[in-house]
Amino acid sequence: LHKAADWFRRAGEHGLPEGYAALAEMYLKGLGFTQDAAQAAQFYRLAADGGHAEASWRLGLMLLGGSGVAKDEEEAVGRYIFAAKKGFAPAQNSLGRAYEMGWGIGINFAEAARWYREAADKGFVRAKYNLGTLYLLGRGVPQDDKAAKDLFEEAADQNVIEALYGLGFAYENGR
């Protein structure tokens, strides 16, 4: 695995951000190295700064939670925005969550719904559940029990456990 890491590093040094992203994964998972979140974050930053959308999103996750880096919600959201605008569905979902929860950005349910929809339209299952919750509560979208139930069913069919609860809640309340 050390040879793989060496090649990944060299690829990154020659302008291929995927090399740094792969090296970051190795450090994050402890593949061939002692697990080291701080080292992973450094390589994700290099890959993200080279335009790698997934690395930008992963660095955002680390920044939001303070894993291997100082917690910085505003920078995390900036990383999500970069990756979301490149069409990376997990980042679109994370950006929606940031808008919904107010992490590093003001609460804006309409923007949360917009980004959840973007990710859901790409098949990102967690976003279907999140968007369904907004429809159920009428946050950022018109309250719509049928839309919520449909989204919960799609998510539940793809093993999002929380969607099972959402369906139970909807049926319990006659929705």
Side-chain angles (χ1 to χ4, degrees):
L1 290 177
H2 284 284
K3 274 195 173 229
D6 184 49
W7 287 111
F8 289 147
R9 184 185 315 272
R10 291 172 68 183
E13 289 168 352
H14 283 87
L16 191 66
E18 289 83 355
Y20 286 138
L23 194 53
E25 277 296 298
M26 291 182 76
Y27 276 104
L28 190 65
K29 295 178 179 176
L31 300 175
F33 303 100
T34 302
Q35 197 170 16
D36 187 340
Q39 192 69 45
Q42 288 178 3
F43 285 112
Y44 278 138
R45 187 176 299 281
L46 289 170
D49 290 349
H52 195 277
E54 182 176 353
S56 184
W57 170 69
R58 290 190 180 278
L59 179 59
L61 294 176
M62 296 178 86
L63 287 159
L64 186 67
S67 174
V69 291
K71 185 173 180 166
D72 187 336
E73 291 181 358
E74 288 181 17
E75 185 182 351
V77 169
R79 298 294 177 164
Y80 294 161
I81 290 170
F82 172 81
K85 286 183 176 179
K86 286 190 144 220
F88 189 64
Q92 292 170 331
N93 183 68
S94 293
L95 183 55
R97 189 79 173 141
Y99 275 115
E100 183 181 3
M101 304 305 293
W103 296 329
I105 201 162
I107 291 175
N108 184 329
F109 295 123
E111 279 297 300
R114 171 186 168 221
W115 288 107
Y116 287 151
R117 171 64 61 205
E118 290 277 336
D121 287 349
K122 288 181 177 73
F124 194 76
V125 184
R126 172 67 55 182
K128 292 178 183 184
Y129 165 73
N130 291 336
L131 183 59
T133 300
L134 294 182
Y135 274 112
L136 185 69
L137 302 173
R139 290 185 172 167
V141 292
Q143 199 282 330
D144 186 335
D145 291 337
K146 183 178 177 349
K149 196 167 81 174
D150 290 348
L151 287 161
F152 288 157
E153 284 177 355
E154 287 180 44
D157 286 345
Q158 295 177 45
N159 300 316
V160 176
I161 304 304
E162 297 87 348
L164 299 172
Y165 176 82
L167 278 170
F169 180 85
Y171 280 108
E172 177 187 44
N173 292 287
R175 296 181 174 182

